[in-house]
Structure formats: structure tokens, C-alpha cells
Amino acid sequence: MPPAIPGTLTAATLRSKEQLWKTWDGKAKKDGPHGTVYWTTGERYQGEWRDNKKHGKGTVIYKNGDKYEGDWAYDLRHGLGTLWIFKDGKYAVRYNGEWRDDQPTGHGTFFENNGDTYEGDWVNGQRHGKGRAVYGGRPVDGFGGDVYEGSFENDVKHGVGTMMYANGDIFEGRWADDKKHGPGTYFYISKGKRFDGTWQEGTPRCGSYSEIHTPPAGTPGSLPPIELKHPDIVLSTATLQLLEQL
């Protein structure tokens, strides 16, 4: 049998569990800035390295065309970075903000496919902490859509928060699992009314209505005035009772 020559394909190397490109890549010992490195999986990376791992500033273009630009730490997205989605021949920002161990963690902004946005706190790729979500409106300021500002937990509205609806109505109160749950106040702005009560899984269970401001007499839909029929008699009677106790 002829001696094995380094770099020559033999039956033994073909039977090896590790692909040759991985062996050669491991021996490269890339450190510092490098030109574009291509993988057989279809990905490519240009940026900084340490110990043969992506580390520092760099850009990856994934097999499906999506792109990440930002900070890396030992092959993981870590620091500040932007994830771009490639669709219909152009890029659109999907997430911009802080990363930790390859997941959005810290403060960042997420853009949904349907135009909804969220800006706020993240933990392990989920909305968690304080944030502002815009549903169906203009992403910059929420105009024309519903806007929620408050607490999130495990990617859903949970805790104290305010929802400002596109029709002008406002709810201030507690949330659980994305639904109104607990004490809160709902302002019906167009009707000039408010409801103070308690919600359970999105449904009001008990409470009371009142006017946000006193409407002109005879306004359709206004609450009827509640007042004593003979206030002078009630007041004089109460005064006499108080004097008798002195």
C-alpha cells in the first residue's frame, strides 16, 4: 500500500465522519479582519474573527438572502445589530437593537410583515418588560392604528398598560396574557363616558359608568342626571340630627 500523502483523498479520509472542509477550516485559525468567507451551506460572512469564530464587527448573508449586520461574540450575534429580511428583491429591517447569545435581548425595535411594530425591552427573543406596540397604524407614531404602551411578559401584554384605540377610545388598567384582566378604566371618548370596573380575561365583570365631562342637556346617549328630589329638606333634616347629637 502506498504511503498516505497529506491532502490526498484516500478511502480512510472518505470514510471520515468529519467533512474535509471542516478540517481545513479549523486549521485556518482565522483572526482579525478577513475578506468574505463562503460556506457550502450557502452562507457568507465578511468581518472580524477570533479563534476561527465570528467575533467583532461583521456581516452575514444567509442562504435565504436575509442579512445580519452588527456585533458578534464567538459565532453568536451579541451586542448591537440589525437583522434584514430579503423579500421581493429588496431588504427590509426585521429587528434593530441589542442582542445577547444570538437572541434579541435588551432594547430593540421589531417590524412585523404586516407593518406592526414593537419598540422596547426584550429577553431571549421575546418582548419582556416595558414597551410600545403599534397595531395597524403608521410605524413612526402609530397614527391610524391601535397603540399599546406598558408592560409585556413572555411576548404578550401583561401587567399595567394603556391601549389607545384608533377610534379614540382609551383603556388604562391591568392586563394578563394579552387580555384586559383586573381593575381598569375604559374611556369612550366619542360618547363622553367612562367605565371604571374590573375585567376578567378581556370581559368586564362589574363596574360603573360616569360622564367624562358634563354634556349639554338633551345630548343623545348622555347619562341622565342623578340628583336629590328635595335637597333642602334632606339637608335640614341632617342638620337637626347633628345638632341633637351635640
Side-chain angles (χ1 to χ4, degrees):
M1 177 180 292
I5 301 175
T8 302
L9 291 176
T10 65
T13 58
L14 289 174
R15 287 193 299 268
S16 174
K17 294 182 180 179
E18 185 178 61
Q19 295 173 305
L20 285 177
W21 73 267
K22 292 184 179 180
T23 302
W24 295 333
D25 188 63
K27 293 179 179 180
K29 295 297 181 184
K30 295 183 286 295
D31 273 293
H34 271 260
T36 303
V37 176
Y38 296 82
W39 281 270
T40 58
T41 56
E43 297 179 3
R44 59 186 186 270
Y45 172 78
Q46 181 177 10
E48 299 175 310
W49 299 78
R50 180 181 293 179
D51 296 334
N52 218 38
K53 296 182 183 295
K54 298 184 287 291
H55 191 92
K57 300 288 184 180
T59 300
V60 159
I61 297 179
Y62 300 99
K63 182 178 180 180
N64 63 357
D66 296 348
K67 177 174 62 175
Y68 170 82
E69 295 178 309
D71 296 329
W72 296 82
Y74 297 103
D75 267 351
L76 300 177
R77 294 167 292 190
H78 193 97
L80 294 175
T82 302
L83 177 65
W84 302 77
I85 300 299
F86 187 71
K87 186 177 180 181
D88 299 329
K90 57 184 179 181
Y91 283 102
V93 176
R94 172 53 52 89
Y95 174 81
N96 178 55
E98 296 179 88
W99 298 73
R100 187 177 302 162
D101 296 332
D102 220 37
Q103 295 288 343
T105 298
H107 189 88
T109 303
F110 185 85
F111 300 85
E112 296 274 8
N113 288 329
N114 62 2
D116 295 349
T117 62
Y118 169 81
E119 180 182 1
D121 298 330
W122 294 80
V123 174
N124 294 327
Q126 293 189 322
R127 297 170 294 178
H128 194 96
K130 300 294 184 182
R132 180 178 188 268
V134 178
Y135 306 96
R138 191 164 56 192
V140 176
D141 55 11
F143 179 79
D146 300 336
V147 179
Y148 173 84
E149 294 183 356
S151 298
F152 286 81
E153 186 174 309
N154 298 326
D155 219 35
V156 296
K157 296 185 287 292
H158 195 98
V160 177
T162 299
M163 178 71 85
M164 294 164 281
Y165 295 94
N167 65 358
D169 292 350
I170 300 172
F171 173 79
E172 297 177 348
R174 298 199 64 86
W175 299 74
D177 298 327
D178 245 7
K179 298 178 181 179
K180 304 178 190 70
H181 192 87
T185 300
Y186 196 107
F187 296 89
Y188 298 89
I189 300 300
S190 61
K191 298 179 181 179
K193 302 177 184 178
R194 61 181 286 172
F195 177 80
D196 296 274
T198 301
W199 276 256
Q200 183 177 8
E201 296 182 352
T203 302
R205 293 301 183 186
C206 62
S208 61
Y209 283 95
S210 60
E211 301 285 357
I212 297 177
H213 51 78
T214 304
T219 301
S222 62
L223 296 175
I226 300 175
E227 56 186 27
L228 294 173
K229 187 174 182 179
H230 301 290
D232 294 337
I233 297 176
V234 173
L235 179 59
S236 60
T237 301
T239 301
L240 290 174
Q241 292 176 348
L242 178 61
L243 292 175
E244 291 176 353
Q245 297 175 3
L246 296 178

